[in-house]
Amino acid sequence: MTDLPLTPIDIQNKEFSRSMRGLSASEVDEFLERVAKDFEELIKENISAKEQMSQLKEKLSHYHKLEETLHNAIVVAQETAEEVKRNASKEADLIRREAEKDANRMLDEARYKASRILADQDEVYKQAQIYKMRFRSLVEAQLAALEMEDWITLDEQSEEEARRGA
């Protein structure tokens, strides 16, 4: 006897030796036919189950690959998000520093302009004081000249001479 598994055909073709008081051949044949059909059905179910199992293994493998891909995508997305946050932070710092530079420059310009305005104001004030002193000196000189009575006497002498000569 061989160690190969039985097939439905092996069961159907199996012949028993006959003896005088042997079993009923028709019952044995009927039983063997039934066993062969059941066995054939089991083999078909087994093949179908193996095919289904193979398909399920393929799907499982596909899902494992998909899971790994999704995991990698999540990791990349997290790394990208962190990089975006770092870049945004760097950009915000850069913008803040630029704004501070601009603000300091504007303040320096405003201080410079304010000091120029104050210097101009001081200069105008000094010029006004000088003008005021000169004008006062002129007015005082004119007042002094008016207060001198020489011009009155000179005028009276001119009138007298004019009367005499006439």
Side-chain angles (χ1 to χ4, degrees):
M1 200 171 198
T2 63
D3 289 339
L4 294 175
L6 287 177
T7 65
I9 293 174
D10 292 337
I11 295 172
Q12 282 177 338
N13 293 334
K14 175 68 177 161
E15 297 211 8
F16 298 96
S17 54
R18 307 234 176 221
S19 67
M20 279 283 219
R21 293 192 319 187
L23 301 172
S24 163
S26 64
E27 283 182 25
V28 169
D29 287 344
E30 190 179 301
F31 178 74
L32 288 175
E33 197 173 304
R34 184 174 166 210
V35 168
K37 284 183 182 177
D38 289 348
F39 191 60
E40 185 177 358
E41 189 64 34
L42 286 173
I43 289 175
K44 286 179 184 177
E45 286 176 10
N46 189 19
I47 291 171
S48 175
K50 285 180 181 179
E51 286 176 0
Q52 190 176 18
M53 188 172 75
S54 176
Q55 289 173 353
L56 290 174
K57 282 182 180 178
E58 285 180 27
K59 283 185 179 181
L60 182 62
S61 174
H62 172 73
Y63 287 129
H64 281 302
K65 288 178 184 175
L66 184 60
E67 179 185 18
E68 185 178 336
T69 301
L70 289 174
H71 176 72
N72 290 339
I74 289 170
V75 169
V76 168
Q78 287 173 337
E79 289 172 355
T80 302
E82 288 299 317
E83 183 68 23
V84 166
K85 283 170 53 178
R86 282 192 299 271
N87 287 340
S89 178
K90 286 179 185 176
E91 189 172 342
D93 285 343
L94 181 64
I95 289 170
R96 182 186 48 77
R97 284 194 301 264
E98 287 297 320
E100 286 175 354
K101 282 182 188 176
D102 288 347
N104 288 334
R105 182 184 47 79
M106 293 170 104
L107 279 172
D108 290 344
E109 286 178 8
R111 286 182 185 128
Y112 175 76
K113 286 180 182 179
S115 69
R116 291 291 304 155
I117 290 170
L118 288 174
D120 289 348
Q121 179 187 9
D122 286 346
E123 185 63 29
V124 168
Y125 181 76
K126 288 176 187 175
Q127 292 293 329
Q129 292 301 320
I130 292 171
Y131 176 76
K132 184 176 156 185
M133 286 178 11
R134 286 183 182 165
F135 189 67
R136 180 174 292 174
S137 295
L138 177 66
V139 168
E140 286 175 354
Q142 291 298 319
L143 277 174
L146 280 175
E147 288 178 359
M148 284 185 10
E149 294 187 15
D150 290 355
W151 66 277
I152 295 176
T153 57
L154 286 176
D155 230 9
E156 288 175 2
Q157 285 176 354
S158 300
E159 277 182 30
E160 220 176 280
E161 286 177 7
R163 273 191 229 147
R164 283 190 219 158

